Amino acid sequence: MPLEFIDYTERARTRYTDLFKRDEVFEALVSTVTEVLNDYQQEYLYLKEVIFNIDKQVGYGLDYIGDRVKQPRLLTNFNQGIHFGFKGSYKSGTFGTVSDSEAGAPFYSVLSTNQGSGRVLNDVEYRNVIKAKIISNSTTCTPKDFLSIVNLISFSTQNSVDWRVHGVINLNIVEDKYGLLDYFISRAGTTDNILPIPLGYRIEQNYIGD
């Protein structure tokens, strides 16, 4: 809901009784207070419309908002290598063969040597991650909030979720433009995860090709 400016001076004048309507001294006393309120209001509106406007901010302005919602621009342990995976998943490669050890992409698991590195989000990516973090901070783990976060970090509205099986979130992935969805799925159970996964639930990933 957009905030609208309220002129407290004009509002006060509508509440004058007949005794004070033409009293210049009383008018001066009231306006002294209400004009200060108007000035403060303008400053708060500026904060909302400019300082805390995610879509308008860039660079350090986004860093400031990210710091307020506890979402850093730097993503740690971001796996940027290509490994064997399902078709359509982020940076997935084909399966190798026994006869040719050079073919295909290597298999990656939690037991593999950590090949991840930090990734600094650009402004376009960071805006959506901040928006997702804001939802995550206030969610009650509803399917609607989960899908909203998925759409934001995948930069796509083609993905879908199915919660019909108890304890399982079936996540149907069609597109993950920058690999952020894949990253945050891998961070499930960590303090920097933003996907709202209810206690006792797990994610089943289904990659859907063209």
Side-chain angles (χ1 to χ4, degrees):
M1 177 177 168
L3 297 178
E4 297 182 357
F5 177 77
I6 300 172
D7 190 330
Y8 288 107
T9 301
E10 289 301 319
R11 174 173 289 188
R13 287 170 180 160
T14 64
R15 298 175 181 178
Y16 288 0
T17 61
D18 291 339
L19 179 64
F20 297 106
K21 282 184 177 180
R22 295 178 179 81
D23 190 325
E24 295 182 359
V25 175
F26 182 77
E27 166 72 15
L29 288 172
V30 172
S31 61
T32 298
V33 175
T34 55
E35 288 304 316
V36 172
L37 293 176
N38 286 342
D39 290 341
Y40 279 133
Q41 183 183 193
Q42 293 283 20
E43 292 178 8
Y44 292 140
L45 289 173
Y46 177 80
L47 286 174
K48 176 187 178 295
E49 297 299 328
V50 181
I51 303 299
F52 291 113
N53 190 314
I54 299 172
D55 294 319
K56 291 182 180 179
Q57 279 295 353
V58 297
Y60 289 119
L62 283 175
D63 293 331
Y64 179 79
I65 298 174
D67 186 56
R68 302 281 76 74
V69 300
K70 307 301 181 184
Q71 177 57 58
R73 187 188 287 264
L74 174 66
L75 302 183
T76 59
N77 296 322
F78 193 100
N79 177 30
Q80 302 188 63
I82 297 177
H83 296 88
F84 167 69
F86 294 102
K87 181 180 178 181
S89 61
Y90 178 71
K91 288 196 173 182
S92 62
T94 60
F95 195 62
T97 64
V98 176
S99 59
D100 185 359
S101 61
E102 299 298 322
F107 181 78
Y108 182 83
S109 74
V110 293
L111 300 178
S112 303
T113 302
N114 183 13
Q115 299 183 32
S117 61
R119 174 176 170 182
V120 179
L121 300 174
N122 61 39
D123 283 355
V124 173
E125 298 167 334
Y126 198 28
R127 284 191 186 95
N128 274 27
V129 171
I130 288 175
K131 291 176 182 178
K133 180 66 172 180
I134 291 172
I135 297 174
S136 180
N137 287 345
S138 60
T139 186
T140 55
C141 299
T142 63
K144 179 181 178 181
D145 286 345
F146 187 92
L147 183 57
S148 295
I149 291 175
V150 167
N151 290 342
L152 284 167
I153 60 181
S154 66
F155 285 79
S156 174
T157 57
Q158 300 182 62
N159 304 317
S160 61
V161 293
D162 185 346
W163 293 53
R164 286 178 293 182
V165 178
H166 181 70
V168 178
I169 302 174
N170 279 300
L171 177 55
N172 303 310
I173 302 173
V174 177
E175 183 180 16
D176 183 15
K177 189 172 183 179
Y178 301 112
L180 297 175
L181 176 57
D182 182 75
Y183 170 78
F184 283 109
I185 289 174
S186 73
R187 305 301 292 173
T190 65
T191 57
D192 56 357
N193 174 53
I194 62 176
L195 288 169
I197 305 172
L199 185 65
Y201 276 73
R202 71 179 190 277
I203 296 179
E204 292 285 348
Q205 304 170 60
N206 307 305
Y207 289 96
I208 303 173
D210 297 330

